[in-house]
Amino acid sequence: MGKVLIIGAGGVATVAAHKVCQNRDVFTDVMIASRTERKCKELAKVLNDKYGTDVRTAQVDADSVDQLVELLGAYKPDLVMNLALPYQDLTIMEACLQTGCNYLDTANYEPKDEAHFEYSWQWAYRERFEQAGLCAILGCGFDPGVTSIFTAYAAKHHFDEIQYLDIVDCNAGNHHKAFATNFNPEINIREITQKGLYWEDGKYIETEPMEIHKPLNYPNIGPRESYLLHHEEIESLVINYPTIRRARFWMTFGQQYLTYLDVIQNIGMSRIDEVEYKAPKADGTGDEVVKIVPLQFLKAVLPNPQDLGENYDGETSIGCRIRGLRGGEEHTYYVYNNCSHQAAYEETGMQGVSYTTGVPAMIGAMMFLKGLWNKPGVHNVEEFDPDPFMQQLATQGLPWHEMHDCDLEL
Ligand code: NDP
């Protein structure tokens, strides 16, 4: 039915590639391309051994529009799944426009030299995608992604008016490392060290990082301290659901994680500007001054998120807690998924955070290839019909559960 190019060969791309190979009736032709082709080839071998799928591979620097145009022009995919890093969103969108390919990603663009993300950079491509008759699907991981689709599903089936939205993201897993991040450490640390931000009464309210927190109960897990963060799906959801009076995003962190994060910040290791460092020359003839970015150096010494799966136990629990009106009366609704790190590892070799991102990315691609989510322009996932996506979510490894008129604790 369709030809996909997956860009990236990290944790999320690995999970998405497994799921693509499990759905060969939809994904008839698959290529994985990334900066380091060796990783693509290793993954292709695993996929071939497990599913008998013949996956092609290629090397590409996705920061280069020219290289991307050459690859896309030669392979001619129906859809490019950008599972590299948010830095590459714009170059990949540009190359899609130049070669007539459709586009999907899981995280909104951020410039390398500024820890700041917002949709405006990608929304600026709307007209060009519309005119080209191409579709770009933005933010199709779990959060953003499933959380936005949960909200669309609630609006379609359970509310006349959504008024209060709280997205709650709990990772109650234990990887038995002193400190590690669950996805790309550079992107992760940039995200959570930012100031908090939430939407209330028509405007954004900024908080200090981790300033607002409270214990919330998560199904099958219990109470966990949850911190208000700025998260990208809030930006599109308050536009697409203008009745929302307040929208917030909460994520759990353990005390040990926060202590390490404090130290990392206080000693300057989360800096994203260049510093000079005296390093031994490769030929052994003394030292030379090189420029390094401390956060990128830190990434190189932290555990690789892809290697956490084997000893990861416990589960994630991510969902939407919603209050609003139906038939003139106030109702509450909680829709969520719990995902076991071990089950994710057994199926794909990756931990639950990569799994909960890679599975929705595959389902979004499936929605596009089946013609269920295909309209020209640049769209956030809540702009599409949530029903076929939710049906797939239930059967592709991320079953979801609902509670009606319960205490949301918020
Ligand atoms: P990883 O660091 O594990 O993988 C990133 C991959 O991208 C690596 O294979 C890397 O190659 C490749 N890459 C990086 N730069 C380039 C480049 N210039 N050209 C080609 N390939 C490149 O990250 P994750 O898999 O953990 O995360 C992937 C994406 O998913 C990120 O954008 C992240 O923000 C997003 N995400 C979204 C979530 C959601 O719920 N929406 C949750 C978690 C993550 P190399 O191996 O050579 O470094």
mmCIF file of all heavy atoms in Angstrom, residues 337-361:
data_model
loop_
_atom_site.group_PDB
_atom_site.id
_atom_site.type_symbol
_atom_site.label_atom_id
_atom_site.label_comp_id
_atom_site.label_asym_id
_atom_site.label_seq_id
_atom_site.Cartn_x
_atom_site.Cartn_y
_atom_site.Cartn_z
ATOM 1 N N ASN A 337 -3.197 5.440 29.101
ATOM 2 C CA ASN A 337 -2.554 4.160 28.772
ATOM 3 C C ASN A 337 -1.460 3.888 29.801
ATOM 4 O O ASN A 337 -0.746 4.803 30.196
ATOM 5 C CB ASN A 337 -1.909 4.225 27.372
ATOM 6 C CG ASN A 337 -0.849 3.137 27.187
ATOM 7 O OD1 ASN A 337 0.341 3.384 27.390
ATOM 8 N ND2 ASN A 337 -1.270 1.943 26.856
ATOM 9 N N ASN A 338 -1.334 2.647 30.233
ATOM 10 C CA ASN A 338 -0.172 2.218 31.019
ATOM 11 C C ASN A 338 0.654 1.292 30.143
ATOM 12 O O ASN A 338 0.094 0.418 29.466
ATOM 13 C CB ASN A 338 -0.610 1.464 32.273
ATOM 14 C CG ASN A 338 -0.938 2.411 33.421
ATOM 15 O OD1 ASN A 338 -1.342 3.543 33.187
ATOM 16 N ND2 ASN A 338 -0.755 1.942 34.641
ATOM 17 N N CYS A 339 1.969 1.492 30.143
ATOM 18 C CA CYS A 339 2.838 0.687 29.285
ATOM 19 C C CYS A 339 3.977 0.103 30.118
ATOM 20 O O CYS A 339 4.691 0.830 30.818
ATOM 21 C CB CYS A 339 3.393 1.578 28.167
ATOM 22 S SG CYS A 339 4.594 0.743 27.120
ATOM 23 N N SER A 340 4.161 -1.200 30.026
ATOM 24 C CA SER A 340 5.210 -1.889 30.792
ATOM 25 C C SER A 340 6.547 -1.810 30.051
ATOM 26 O O SER A 340 6.640 -2.160 28.878
ATOM 27 C CB SER A 340 4.795 -3.358 30.978
ATOM 28 O OG SER A 340 5.935 -4.185 31.020
ATOM 29 N N HIS A 341 7.578 -1.352 30.758
ATOM 30 C CA HIS A 341 8.911 -1.271 30.129
ATOM 31 C C HIS A 341 9.393 -2.660 29.679
ATOM 32 O O HIS A 341 9.995 -2.798 28.620
ATOM 33 C CB HIS A 341 9.923 -0.687 31.116
ATOM 34 C CG HIS A 341 9.751 0.787 31.335
ATOM 35 N ND1 HIS A 341 10.084 1.722 30.395
ATOM 36 C CD2 HIS A 341 9.268 1.483 32.396
ATOM 37 C CE1 HIS A 341 9.834 2.939 30.863
ATOM 38 N NE2 HIS A 341 9.325 2.819 32.072
ATOM 39 N N GLN A 342 9.139 -3.680 30.501
ATOM 40 C CA GLN A 342 9.633 -5.020 30.152
ATOM 41 C C GLN A 342 8.927 -5.567 28.913
ATOM 42 O O GLN A 342 9.559 -6.159 28.039
ATOM 43 C CB GLN A 342 9.461 -5.987 31.327
ATOM 44 C CG GLN A 342 10.718 -6.149 32.172
ATOM 45 C CD GLN A 342 12.004 -6.319 31.360
ATOM 46 O OE1 GLN A 342 12.143 -7.262 30.596
ATOM 47 N NE2 GLN A 342 12.933 -5.392 31.507
ATOM 48 N N ALA A 343 7.611 -5.357 28.847
ATOM 49 C CA ALA A 343 6.870 -5.852 27.674
ATOM 50 C C ALA A 343 7.378 -5.152 26.421
ATOM 51 O O ALA A 343 7.553 -5.782 25.364
ATOM 52 C CB ALA A 343 5.371 -5.614 27.859
ATOM 53 N N ALA A 344 7.653 -3.840 26.526
ATOM 54 C CA ALA A 344 8.173 -3.086 25.375
ATOM 55 C C ALA A 344 9.530 -3.651 24.964
ATOM 56 O O ALA A 344 9.810 -3.851 23.775
ATOM 57 C CB ALA A 344 8.302 -1.606 25.739
ATOM 58 N N TYR A 345 10.365 -3.939 25.957
ATOM 59 C CA TYR A 345 11.710 -4.455 25.677
ATOM 60 C C TYR A 345 11.638 -5.833 25.006
ATOM 61 O O TYR A 345 12.356 -6.107 24.043
ATOM 62 C CB TYR A 345 12.517 -4.522 26.981
ATOM 63 C CG TYR A 345 13.893 -5.079 26.773
ATOM 64 C CD1 TYR A 345 14.870 -4.326 26.129
ATOM 65 C CD2 TYR A 345 14.212 -6.376 27.191
ATOM 66 C CE1 TYR A 345 16.131 -4.848 25.906
ATOM 67 C CE2 TYR A 345 15.472 -6.893 26.972
ATOM 68 C CZ TYR A 345 16.434 -6.130 26.327
ATOM 69 O OH TYR A 345 17.675 -6.642 26.105
ATOM 70 N N GLU A 346 10.766 -6.673 25.532
ATOM 71 C CA GLU A 346 10.663 -8.023 24.954
ATOM 72 C C GLU A 346 10.225 -7.975 23.490
ATOM 73 O O GLU A 346 10.678 -8.762 22.673
ATOM 74 C CB GLU A 346 9.698 -8.890 25.779
ATOM 75 C CG GLU A 346 10.373 -9.457 27.014
ATOM 76 C CD GLU A 346 9.402 -9.843 28.106
ATOM 77 O OE1 GLU A 346 8.236 -10.152 27.780
ATOM 78 O OE2 GLU A 346 9.804 -9.811 29.283
ATOM 79 N N GLU A 347 9.372 -7.016 23.170
ATOM 80 C CA GLU A 347 8.873 -6.944 21.786
ATOM 81 C C GLU A 347 9.860 -6.264 20.829
ATOM 82 O O GLU A 347 10.025 -6.691 19.688
ATOM 83 C CB GLU A 347 7.530 -6.200 21.769
ATOM 84 C CG GLU A 347 6.875 -6.185 20.402
ATOM 85 C CD GLU A 347 5.598 -5.358 20.359
ATOM 86 O OE1 GLU A 347 4.933 -5.193 21.398
ATOM 87 O OE2 GLU A 347 5.287 -4.846 19.270
ATOM 88 N N THR A 348 10.532 -5.212 21.306
ATOM 89 C CA THR A 348 11.317 -4.387 20.370
ATOM 90 C C THR A 348 12.765 -4.149 20.788
ATOM 91 O O THR A 348 13.521 -3.528 20.040
ATOM 92 C CB THR A 348 10.665 -2.987 20.231
ATOM 93 O OG1 THR A 348 10.731 -2.336 21.514
ATOM 94 C CG2 THR A 348 9.222 -3.072 19.776
ATOM 95 N N GLY A 349 13.138 -4.594 22.003
ATOM 96 C CA GLY A 349 14.500 -4.327 22.486
ATOM 97 C C GLY A 349 14.664 -2.926 23.053
ATOM 98 O O GLY A 349 15.763 -2.536 23.437
ATOM 99 N N MET A 350 13.581 -2.132 23.107
ATOM 100 C CA MET A 350 13.642 -0.758 23.623
ATOM 101 C C MET A 350 12.736 -0.618 24.853
ATOM 102 O O MET A 350 11.792 -1.382 25.029
ATOM 103 C CB MET A 350 13.176 0.239 22.551
ATOM 104 C CG MET A 350 14.068 0.300 21.343
ATOM 105 S SD MET A 350 15.697 0.985 21.708
ATOM 106 C CE MET A 350 16.747 -0.237 20.922
ATOM 107 N N GLN A 351 13.015 0.426 25.664
ATOM 108 C CA GLN A 351 12.195 0.653 26.869
ATOM 109 C C GLN A 351 10.877 1.361 26.520
ATOM 110 O O GLN A 351 10.647 1.745 25.379
ATOM 111 C CB GLN A 351 12.991 1.405 27.957
ATOM 112 C CG GLN A 351 14.009 2.414 27.469
ATOM 113 C CD GLN A 351 13.424 3.754 27.119
ATOM 114 O OE1 GLN A 351 12.228 3.965 27.224
ATOM 115 N NE2 GLN A 351 14.256 4.690 26.681
ATOM 116 N N GLY A 352 10.052 1.530 27.556
ATOM 117 C CA GLY A 352 8.683 2.001 27.342
ATOM 118 C C GLY A 352 8.550 3.400 26.762
ATOM 119 O O GLY A 352 7.574 3.688 26.063
ATOM 120 N N VAL A 353 9.507 4.299 27.036
ATOM 121 C CA VAL A 353 9.350 5.663 26.529
ATOM 122 C C VAL A 353 9.550 5.688 25.009
ATOM 123 O O VAL A 353 8.807 6.357 24.281
ATOM 124 C CB VAL A 353 10.288 6.651 27.270
ATOM 125 C CG1 VAL A 353 10.200 8.039 26.675
ATOM 126 C CG2 VAL A 353 9.936 6.687 28.753
ATOM 127 N N SER A 354 10.537 4.928 24.534
ATOM 128 C CA SER A 354 10.705 4.811 23.072
ATOM 129 C C SER A 354 9.471 4.121 22.476
ATOM 130 O O SER A 354 9.000 4.499 21.398
ATOM 131 C CB SER A 354 11.940 3.982 22.720
ATOM 132 O OG SER A 354 13.088 4.539 23.285
ATOM 133 N N TYR A 355 8.963 3.116 23.194
ATOM 134 C CA TYR A 355 7.825 2.346 22.691
ATOM 135 C C TYR A 355 6.580 3.221 22.569
ATOM 136 O O TYR A 355 5.900 3.213 21.525
ATOM 137 C CB TYR A 355 7.557 1.169 23.638
ATOM 138 C CG TYR A 355 6.587 0.151 23.101
ATOM 139 C CD1 TYR A 355 7.024 -0.895 22.287
ATOM 140 C CD2 TYR A 355 5.221 0.219 23.401
ATOM 141 C CE1 TYR A 355 6.130 -1.835 21.784
ATOM 142 C CE2 TYR A 355 4.326 -0.713 22.910
ATOM 143 C CZ TYR A 355 4.789 -1.736 22.103
ATOM 144 O OH TYR A 355 3.900 -2.672 21.602
ATOM 145 N N THR A 356 6.303 3.996 23.630
ATOM 146 C CA THR A 356 5.075 4.805 23.604
ATOM 147 C C THR A 356 5.170 5.928 22.568
ATOM 148 O O THR A 356 4.167 6.543 22.228
ATOM 149 C CB THR A 356 4.755 5.420 24.992
ATOM 150 O OG1 THR A 356 5.899 6.125 25.468
ATOM 151 C CG2 THR A 356 4.347 4.360 25.996
ATOM 152 N N THR A 357 6.355 6.207 22.062
ATOM 153 C CA THR A 357 6.508 7.216 21.003
ATOM 154 C C THR A 357 6.499 6.577 19.612
ATOM 155 O O THR A 357 5.870 7.072 18.682
ATOM 156 C CB THR A 357 7.826 8.002 21.201
ATOM 157 O OG1 THR A 357 7.917 8.405 22.557
ATOM 158 C CG2 THR A 357 7.886 9.225 20.305
ATOM 159 N N GLY A 358 7.210 5.453 19.480
ATOM 160 C CA GLY A 358 7.353 4.810 18.170
ATOM 161 C C GLY A 358 6.065 4.166 17.670
ATOM 162 O O GLY A 358 5.782 4.180 16.462
ATOM 163 N N VAL A 359 5.271 3.614 18.600
ATOM 164 C CA VAL A 359 4.014 2.972 18.166
ATOM 165 C C VAL A 359 3.047 4.010 17.565
ATOM 166 O O VAL A 359 2.557 3.825 16.444
ATOM 167 C CB VAL A 359 3.360 2.180 19.333
ATOM 168 C CG1 VAL A 359 1.980 1.668 18.942
ATOM 169 C CG2 VAL A 359 4.256 1.030 19.764
ATOM 170 N N PRO A 360 2.788 5.143 18.249
ATOM 171 C CA PRO A 360 1.901 6.152 17.626
ATOM 172 C C PRO A 360 2.455 6.706 16.322
ATOM 173 O O PRO A 360 1.673 7.027 15.410
ATOM 174 C CB PRO A 360 1.815 7.264 18.683
ATOM 175 C CG PRO A 360 2.237 6.639 19.953
ATOM 176 C CD PRO A 360 3.140 5.514 19.626
ATOM 177 N N ALA A 361 3.784 6.813 16.206
ATOM 178 C CA ALA A 361 4.357 7.318 14.944
ATOM 179 C C ALA A 361 3.992 6.359 13.816
ATOM 180 O O ALA A 361 3.600 6.780 12.717
ATOM 181 C CB ALA A 361 5.865 7.467 15.069
#
